[in-house]
Amino acid sequence: SINNLQPILIPTVNNPIESQSGGTYIFKNKETFQGKAINNNILIKGIYTWPNGQKYYGELFPNNLFNKKGKIVFQDQSELIGKFDGKNNIIENAIYNTKSKIYQGSFKNNKLHGKFIIKNKDGYPHYLYIGSYFNGAKHGKFSLEKSYNHEIIKITGDYKEGIKHGEFKIFKIKQDKEQLFYELKFDGD
């Protein structure tokens, strides 16, 4: 699993326009914008593309920060959809689709932050994590279900700033019933 997003590129502020045709703007640094703008320099809504292929679909603040609901498509074609607050570098109600996993929750400063659900994209092998993160570190109670040796196991426990803390329990799940298999206790070391 990840603790951080891929680097999110931000549109260059005061980027000189090299050429403009209709609603398409090509900047000197080869970034492009296609969409609605005011006075040919304040980008409002559209598609912003970087030379490396990363794209942002959505609205921008007057200082070219992401604003409101939008979508980023990264070079590897993974997608991030959510409510962007570019001023505070927060993405709420996000869905981050990678090649293998789906992450649902919020990000702050490109790190997992708040309640999260993480699961395998195709459902196999079984993997489901429900828990919280604080600045990219697991924090608080969690539950993890995953395939292990052709069985489904469930692990419950608690993290404090990324460190295992308190009781951890491991269950085997058979016919939708949990059977306690093992217990551990961590004191934070």
Side-chain angles (χ1 to χ4, degrees):
S1 82
I2 64 162
N3 291 343
N4 303 316
L5 279 171
Q6 296 183 46
I8 295 176
L9 302 175
I10 304 295
T12 305
V13 177
N14 299 323
N15 197 355
I17 297 172
E18 187 172 277
S19 67
Q20 188 257 328
S21 174
T24 301
Y25 300 81
I26 300 172
F27 301 99
K28 290 210 183 279
N29 66 358
K30 303 304 179 207
E31 293 173 5
T32 64
F33 176 75
Q34 186 174 12
K36 184 177 176 185
I38 298 174
N39 300 329
N40 288 335
N41 66 359
I42 299 175
L43 312 176
I44 301 298
K45 186 175 185 175
I47 303 168
Y48 200 100
T49 306
W50 288 264
N52 73 354
Q54 180 176 310
K55 293 183 180 201
Y56 171 75
Y57 300 79
E59 296 185 34
L60 296 152
F61 280 115
N63 54 358
N64 291 354
L65 294 173
F66 304 140
N67 182 32
K68 298 184 181 175
K69 189 171 182 173
K71 174 171 93 171
I72 294 174
V73 179
F74 295 97
Q75 281 180 285
D76 67 358
Q77 300 307 302
S78 59
E79 293 183 350
L80 173 65
I81 301 166
K83 183 181 175 200
F84 292 81
D85 176 350
K87 287 182 180 178
N88 298 307
N89 202 9
I90 295 172
I91 307 162
E92 295 177 328
N93 304 318
I95 299 173
Y96 181 44
N97 285 305
T98 66
K99 287 181 182 178
S100 62
K101 290 201 176 5
I102 299 172
Y103 299 79
Q104 295 173 277
S106 296
F107 294 88
K108 184 175 183 180
N109 298 320
N110 290 358
K111 296 178 180 178
L112 281 70
H113 191 81
K115 292 184 186 259
F116 254 88
I117 296 173
I118 304 169
K119 56 188 172 183
N120 274 356
K121 196 169 195 169
D122 61 6
Y124 187 83
H126 182 74
Y127 182 95
L128 176 64
Y129 176 89
I130 300 171
S132 295
Y133 284 78
F134 182 77
N135 286 328
K138 291 178 181 176
H139 188 76
K141 296 196 178 305
F142 80 96
S143 169
L144 170 64
E145 291 181 13
K146 63 188 280 184
S147 298
Y148 182 76
N149 287 338
H150 306 291
E151 293 183 315
I152 302 292
I153 62 165
K154 179 178 181 178
I155 303 168
T156 62
D158 197 4
Y159 279 91
K160 192 172 185 178
E161 298 176 3
I163 298 170
K164 294 174 182 169
H165 183 79
E167 285 187 0
F168 273 56
K169 294 182 179 181
I170 301 171
F171 300 88
K172 287 185 178 182
I173 300 176
K174 292 184 179 180
Q175 299 167 343
D176 293 329
K177 292 184 181 180
E178 295 178 2
Q179 298 173 345
L180 183 61
F181 177 69
Y182 199 74
E183 286 184 81
L184 300 160
K185 182 133 178 135
F186 294 94
D187 60 9
D189 294 335

